[in-house]
Amino acid sequence: MRLNLNGRNAWVCGASRGIGRAIAHALAEQGANVTLIARNREALENVRQTLPDPDQHQVLCLDLSDPDALKQAVQAHLNQAPAPQILINNTGGPSPGTVFAAEPASFEIALRQHVVAAQVFAQALVPGMREAGYGRIINIISTSVRQPIPGLGVSNTIRAAMASWAKTLAFELAPDGITVNNVLPGYTATERLDAIINHRAERAGVSAEQIRQQMVSEVPMQRFATPAEVAAAVGFLASPAAAYITGVSLPVDGGRIQAL
Ligand SMILES: NC(=O)c1ccc[n+]([C@@H]2O[C@H](COP(=O)([O-])OP(=O)(O)OC[C@H]3O[C@@H](n4cnc5c(N)ncnc54)[C@H](OP(=O)(O)O)[C@@H]3O)[C@@H](O)[C@H]2O)c1
């Protein structure tokens, strides 16, 4: 099976920790030159140092919540660095809370950081993918695309928009051989998950450990995913082996979604 990414350039958003950091590792181990993207330069540099051949990889500080600044910064970087053939759209999840209690402005903020940022990246990078004859756009979304998660109102709303954006783009870019897919992590052991557990524990007036146990019991595999397990699915979709897979949403959730 052709999983090798030698000579390919990959931009990985949200690479300073959690799932994004694990994706950076997976793609670097498959041979890609990785550009690590997030806001915290020091954290990105630390990740870069842990990748195989650190000098092969770069750090790019971007804030995905400001589309105009993002567009300019992406273009400036492209003027002095090789274009990527692989783009991983991944960023921090919206704050937890019920949908009814959400501030109306929080939907706009989340839409900018997720869907609008992905659009800015796609418009800037697809021409280079076409030129290279190789393109992979992979979005890290959530199982809430299939089954909304109580207490994640803004997130549920924005993830559905992101999945619809991706499906439409997959259709439009298929004639170029550029694939667009979503990976839907289930509960994955990262700082984001810790924050959600603490929020639920506070709201329910119980311990974080009780919430953790309850969440684990919802998963047929009876454990949370490791970030590396989510990254493995991304590594496959980024590879030549996945050339004919586009427009799919792949759950990596230990069997938690019960729908067909
Ligand atoms: N963990 C789970 O159980 C789980 C389950 C389903 C879905 N997801 C989703 O999968 C994605 C990744 O999850 P995770 O657990 O790895 O999250 P995480 O630990 O919170 O990491 C988020 C990453 O995004 C970066 N980021 C946040 N805001 C940004 C901004 N405005 N501009 C640029 N970068 C930004 C962060 O770096 P900086 O702060 O340095 O910018 C960090 O690298 C999230 O959207 C999450 O909601 C996670």
Side-chain angles (χ1 to χ4, degrees):
M1 185 157 50
R2 291 167 61 218
L3 297 175
N4 198 293
L5 295 176
N6 280 345
R8 297 290 175 209
N9 304 316
W11 284 19
V12 180
C13 299
S16 61
R17 60 176 186 265
I19 293 171
R21 176 174 57 196
I23 294 170
H25 272 276
L27 300 185
E29 279 159 19
Q30 285 171 255
N33 308 312
V34 178
T35 298
L36 302 149
I37 297 171
R39 293 166 301 181
N40 184 328
R41 182 175 296 279
E42 198 186 339
L44 290 172
E45 273 300 341
N46 288 339
V47 175
R48 189 173 74 83
Q49 291 305 328
T50 64
L51 298 180
D53 283 330
D55 292 344
Q56 292 293 108
H57 312 292
Q58 295 190 38
V59 156
L60 176 58
C61 270
L62 296 175
D63 184 347
L64 272 56
S65 64
D66 180 346
D68 293 337
L70 180 65
K71 195 171 173 179
Q72 280 185 12
V74 165
Q75 207 49 60
H77 191 75
L78 280 177
N79 291 339
Q80 47 96 24
Q85 300 81 43
I86 299 163
L87 165 66
I88 312 300
N89 286 313
N90 171 55
T91 185
S95 302
T98 63
V99 75
F100 184 68
E103 283 298 328
S106 62
F107 293 92
E108 289 176 1
I109 292 166
L111 194 77
R112 267 204 302 278
Q113 194 181 323
H114 289 254
V115 184
V116 181
Q119 174 73 359
V120 168
F121 279 117
Q123 287 189 331
L125 304 186
V126 164
M129 295 179 186
R130 284 190 173 123
E131 207 172 298
Y134 194 94
R136 301 282 188 270
I137 299 175
I138 300 162
N139 311 301
I140 310 306
I141 317 186
S142 167
T143 54
S144 64
V145 164
R146 298 276 174 78
Q147 192 177 318
I149 301 171
L152 291 179
V154 178
S155 180
N156 291 340
T157 308
I158 297 310
R159 307 303 187 169
M162 189 72 194
S164 192
W165 173 84
K167 187 73 182 172
T168 312
L169 191 64
F171 184 74
E172 292 176 9
L173 298 184
D176 297 306
I178 297 171
T179 68
V180 185
N181 292 297
N182 306 316
V183 168
L184 315 181
Y187 299 139
T188 308
T190 69
E191 290 172 31
R192 157 88 177 161
L193 189 63
D194 288 339
I196 289 171
I197 289 171
N198 290 335
H199 181 264
R200 286 189 185 175
E202 239 171 66
R203 229 182 27 187
V206 298
S207 73
E209 189 48 35
Q210 278 172 287
I211 298 291
R212 185 178 300 276
Q213 288 306 328
Q214 186 224 313
M215 289 168 76
V216 164
S217 73
E218 293 167 22
V219 184
M221 286 197 178
Q222 295 289 295
R223 64 176 180 85
F224 294 155
T226 65
E229 287 172 317
V230 178
V234 176
F236 170 68
L237 289 171
S239 75
Y244 203 61
I245 300 174
T246 195
V248 307
S249 287
L250 174 63
V252 181
D253 70 345
R256 186 163 59 89
I257 297 178
Q258 293 189 3
L260 286 175

